[in-house]
């Protein structure tokens, strides 16, 4: 077991780019959404930068000029695309399911803190029932404040009646790391998603792992 997990009881995972290889699908759906709303494509790099944020916060970055009606049109286009996407186009990263199961079997509580809306997270959980069965709590951006605000993590800590020192946050973006730092939770970066080790470290990552499977491995 990775020594950074010693004396920890709760592992909180981001979803997109951390557990699930969904970044290409999210970028494709955002491109579709902007076309659906009659707006210019913002490009893959800009789309990647907002992954992890709630859709409302993401649109404030990608389309600050949009009024409420236009924002609703973009959101409609995104949701139409996302919910029409088959499960095969959004696979879990290799070994993720086995890793989460092993961590849960070792006695860790497993939670998810995601920029997804509840409806979107429920879709992917329903498509991955063996993984979903090991997740004891989750929090979505439409249920609380969006990352990097720490409230999402604070609410999970309250749910388990744990101090921040008992938890780790595993994520692939600077939004995850900044949220963990603000909540006093140990930030662990993974390099299978959006941001590289330099950006994750600058945002506060205590350690960067190639992917979640390395939570089961000794470092060194």
């Amino acid at each position: 077991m990775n020594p950074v997990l010693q004396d920890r009881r709760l592992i909180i995972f981001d979803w997109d780019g951390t557990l699930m290889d969904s970044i290409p699908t999210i970028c494709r759906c955002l491109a579709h959404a902007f076309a659906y709303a009659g707006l210019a494509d913002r490009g893959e790099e800009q789309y990647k930068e907002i992954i992890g944020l709630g859709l409302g916060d993401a649109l404030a970055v990608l389309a600050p000029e949009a009024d409420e009606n236009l924002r609703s049109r973009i959101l409609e286009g995104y949701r139409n695309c996302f919910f029409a996407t088959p499960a095969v186009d959004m696979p879990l990263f290799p070994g993720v399911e086995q890793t989460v199961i092993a961590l849960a079997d070792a006695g860790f509580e497993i939670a998810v803190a995601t920029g997804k809306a509840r409806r979107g997270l429920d879709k992917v959980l329903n498509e991955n029932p063996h993984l979903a069965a090991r997740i004891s709590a989750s929090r979505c951006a439409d249920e609380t404040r969006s990352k990097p605000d720490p409230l999402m993590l604070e609410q999970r800590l309250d749910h388990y009646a744990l101090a921040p020192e008992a938890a780790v946050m595993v994520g692939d973006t600077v939004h995850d790391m900044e949220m963990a730092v603000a909540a006093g939770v140990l930030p662990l970066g993974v390099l299978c998603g959006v941001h590289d080790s330099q950006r994750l470290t600058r945002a506060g990552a205590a350690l960067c792992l190639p992917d979640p499977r390395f939570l089961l491995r000794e470092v060194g």
Side-chain angles (χ1 to χ4, degrees):
M1 189 69 64
N2 196 304
V4 299
L5 298 181
Q6 186 174 354
D7 300 324
R8 310 284 170 172
R9 294 179 54 194
L10 170 63
I11 304 174
I12 306 170
F13 288 99
D14 169 55
W15 189 269
D16 296 304
T18 298
L19 298 179
M20 177 168 276
D21 188 7
S22 49
I23 304 303
T25 291
I26 293 172
C27 291
R28 176 176 59 82
C29 289
L30 284 168
H32 170 82
F34 276 81
Y36 183 83
L39 297 173
D41 186 9
R42 272 34 179 185
E44 183 176 296
E45 290 309 309
Q46 287 196 50
Y47 296 147
K48 285 183 176 180
E49 283 301 307
I50 57 80
I51 289 175
L53 303 178
L55 274 175
D57 291 71
L59 291 187
V61 175
L62 293 172
E65 75 286 358
D67 60 18
E68 184 175 349
N69 288 336
L70 190 54
R71 286 162 62 93
S72 295
R73 181 76 173 168
I74 299 169
L75 290 172
E76 180 182 8
Y78 180 85
R79 289 168 180 149
N80 289 345
C81 180
F82 181 81
F83 286 100
T85 300
V88 68
D89 288 348
M90 292 188 292
L92 297 173
F93 284 113
V96 155
E97 184 175 288
Q98 296 89 338
T99 297
V100 172
I101 289 172
L103 291 167
D105 287 348
F108 293 99
E109 294 286 356
I110 307 296
V112 166
T114 177
K116 283 189 175 312
R118 172 53 59 184
R119 185 180 169 212
L121 181 62
D122 285 348
K123 166 184 163 62
V124 293
L125 288 175
N126 289 336
E127 292 168 347
N128 296 279
H130 297 297
L131 175 63
R134 302 308 177 105
I135 296 169
S136 54
S138 58
R139 202 68 169 165
C140 299
D142 61 341
E143 299 169 330
T144 185
R145 296 176 194 152
S146 179
K147 302 173 186 180
D149 191 287
L151 183 60
M152 189 180 294
L153 293 187
E154 292 167 353
Q155 290 171 334
R156 292 309 80 202
L157 293 170
D158 288 345
H159 174 81
Y160 293 103
L162 291 174
E165 295 78 14
V168 300
M169 173 70 206
V170 183
D172 68 303
T173 72
V174 297
H175 314 302
D176 299 312
M177 301 301 100
E178 291 170 355
M179 176 177 66
V181 169
V185 170
L186 183 70
L188 299 181
V190 288
L191 305 179
C192 49
V194 173
H195 292 142
D196 61 27
S197 59
Q198 289 186 334
R199 290 191 64 181
L200 293 172
T201 299
R202 286 199 300 268
L207 181 68
C208 291
L209 303 172
D211 60 60
R213 292 175 296 181
F214 282 74
L215 290 168
L216 294 176
R217 304 183 188 182
E218 295 288 340
V219 176

